[in-house]
């Protein structure tokens, strides 16, 4: 006991040890299970232990999410009608499609995927809601890959960028009525066109050549009709 009348850490440890030794086998099992449950909840840990526990949980979650993303991706490449259709047309266009250039990665910003200028189709494993969400994301980014391969897009030209975003949003299934209802955007009058324009504008806002939302909207409106009606490689909107 220390000078102010409280037990020291050494005294507490010795007392706990004596209590444990006094338990029978069944009581020790119950105590061990209780201790594991307490540690799982993070109780009784110091700051360093809490940080280590949190980092371990995040790592385990990343491994689980990334593995699931890769499994879904591989399955969709074999079974999804729209993904298989786009895969065939990408290969016909000379795009070197493989799982190596379609990695599942962790994304800091709020997006489910992306198409990089080096031709990589990025899939954000930590932003996916489900396999259906990944299917739409893959189709969306594959339209970008198709446009880049066939039309040699200048990504810093807002009209070029707007055109491929319009086509990707329209053709991938990104703007179906179900998808819009899931986002809380309930509207039946030309909902598809409204969704396509809105999502194209949102994408353009991330372009360093875009000066403002009005600038993005102007680019989208200028090319909308010609790009919206261009459904290649589909015969019509999927």
């Amino acid at each position: 006991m220390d000078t102010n009348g409280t037990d020291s850490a050494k005294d507490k440890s010795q007392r706990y040890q004596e209590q444990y030794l006094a338990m029978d086998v069944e009581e020790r099992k119950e105590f061990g299970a209780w201790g594991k449950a307490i540690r799982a909840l993070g109780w009784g840990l110091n700051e360093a232990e809490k940080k280590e526990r949190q980092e371990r949980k995040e790592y385990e979650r990343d491994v689980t999410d990334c593995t699931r993303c890769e499994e879904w991706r591989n399955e969709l490449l074999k079974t999804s009608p729209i993904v298989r259709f786009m895969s065939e047309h990408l290969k016909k266009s000379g795009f070197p499609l493989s799982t190596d250039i379609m990695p599942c990665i962790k994304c800091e910003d709020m997006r489910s995927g992306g198409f990089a200028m080096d031709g990589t189709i990025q899939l954000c494993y930590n932003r996916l809601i489900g396999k259906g969400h990944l299917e739409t994301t893959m189709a969306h980014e594959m339209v970008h890959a198709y446009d880049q391969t066939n039309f040699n897009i200048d990504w810093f030209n807002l009209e070029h960028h707007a055109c491929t975003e319009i086509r990707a949003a329209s053709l991938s299934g990104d703007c179906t009525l179900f998808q819009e209802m899931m986002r809380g955007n309930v509207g039946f009058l030309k909902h598809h066109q409204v969704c396509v324009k809105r999502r194209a504008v949102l994408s353009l806002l991330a372009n360093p050549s875009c000066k403002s939302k009005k600038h993005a909207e102007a680019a989208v409106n200028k090319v909308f009709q010609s790009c919206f009606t261009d459904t290649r490689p589909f015969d019509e909107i999927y």
Side-chain angles (χ1 to χ4, degrees), residues 50-65:
K50 287 179 181 178
K51 182 179 179 181
E52 181 182 355
R53 175 177 175 272
Q54 183 61 32
E55 289 175 348
R56 184 171 63 253
K57 286 177 65 178
E58 290 178 1
Y59 172 76
E60 291 171 352
R61 183 168 58 247
D62 281 343
V63 171
T64 299
D65 291 349

Side-chain angles (χ1 to χ4, degrees), residues 30-43 53:
E30 291 180 9
F31 181 81
W34 177 81
K36 287 181 180 178
I38 291 296
R39 287 192 294 274
L41 294 172
W43 296 349
R53 175 177 175 272

Side-chain angles (χ1 to χ4, degrees), residues 175-187:
C175 282
T176 61
L177 181 58
F178 175 75
Q179 292 281 8
E180 280 293 84
M181 290 178 68
M182 290 293 289
R183 297 182 186 113
N185 299 317
V186 182

Side-chain angles (χ1 to χ4, degrees), residues 204-222:
L204 261 63
L205 290 174
N207 190 314
S209 298
C210 184
K211 299 175 183 177
S212 65
K213 186 177 180 180
K214 285 185 177 181
H215 191 195
E217 290 172 340
V220 169
N221 289 332
K222 184 174 181 180

Side-chain angles (χ1 to χ4, degrees), residues 43-217:
W43 296 349
L45 301 179
N46 60 38
E47 291 304 314
E49 290 170 334
K50 287 179 181 178
K51 182 179 179 181
E52 181 182 355
R53 175 177 175 272
Q54 183 61 32
E55 289 175 348
R56 184 171 63 253
K57 286 177 65 178
E58 290 178 1
Y59 172 76
E60 291 171 352
R61 183 168 58 247
D62 281 343
V63 171
T64 299
D65 291 349
C66 186
T67 300
R68 182 175 55 194
C69 172
E70 291 174 342
E71 290 174 350
W72 284 347
R73 175 202 62 196
N74 296 344
E75 182 180 344
L76 289 166
L77 284 167
K78 295 176 182 178
T79 63
S80 166
I82 188 170
V83 171
R84 289 183 63 187
F85 178 85
M86 286 304 305
S87 296
E88 291 171 6
H89 282 273
L90 282 171
K91 290 175 182 177
K92 287 179 182 178
S93 300
F95 184 82
L97 184 67
S98 70
T99 54
D100 291 336
I101 60 171
M102 194 181 284
C104 291
I105 63 172
K106 187 171 186 177
C107 299
E108 297 300 326
D109 44 350
M110 292 301 295
R111 61 189 178 96
S112 58
F115 181 72
M117 291 184 190
D118 64 359
T120 303
I121 294 174
Q122 302 168 342
L123 306 175
C124 301
Y125 67 73
N126 58 319
R127 303 298 184 195
L128 297 174
I129 298 171
K131 186 163 66 172
H133 186 203
L134 177 59
E135 180 181 34
T136 302
T137 299
M138 288 172 66
H140 183 110
E141 305 308 336
M142 290 168 95
V143 172
H144 288 323
Y146 178 87
D147 288 354
Q148 174 65 35
T149 304
N150 289 279
F151 310 131
N152 194 26
I153 296 171
D154 176 0
W155 291 94
F156 295 106
N157 181 317
L158 278 197
E159 291 178 18
H160 284 205
H161 189 184
C163 191
T164 190
E165 292 296 349
I166 289 166
R167 282 171 38 76
S170 179
L171 299 172
S172 64
D174 201 24
C175 282
T176 61
L177 181 58
F178 175 75
Q179 292 281 8
E180 280 293 84
M181 290 178 68
M182 290 293 289
R183 297 182 186 113
N185 299 317
V186 182
F188 297 95
L189 184 61
K190 293 187 176 181
H191 83 88
H192 185 78
Q193 291 92 326
V194 171
C195 169
V196 169
K197 282 188 175 182
R198 186 185 71 250
R199 296 189 68 77
V201 167
L202 288 173
S203 294
L204 261 63
L205 290 174
N207 190 314
S209 298
C210 184
K211 299 175 183 177
S212 65
K213 186 177 180 180
K214 285 185 177 181
H215 191 195
E217 290 172 340

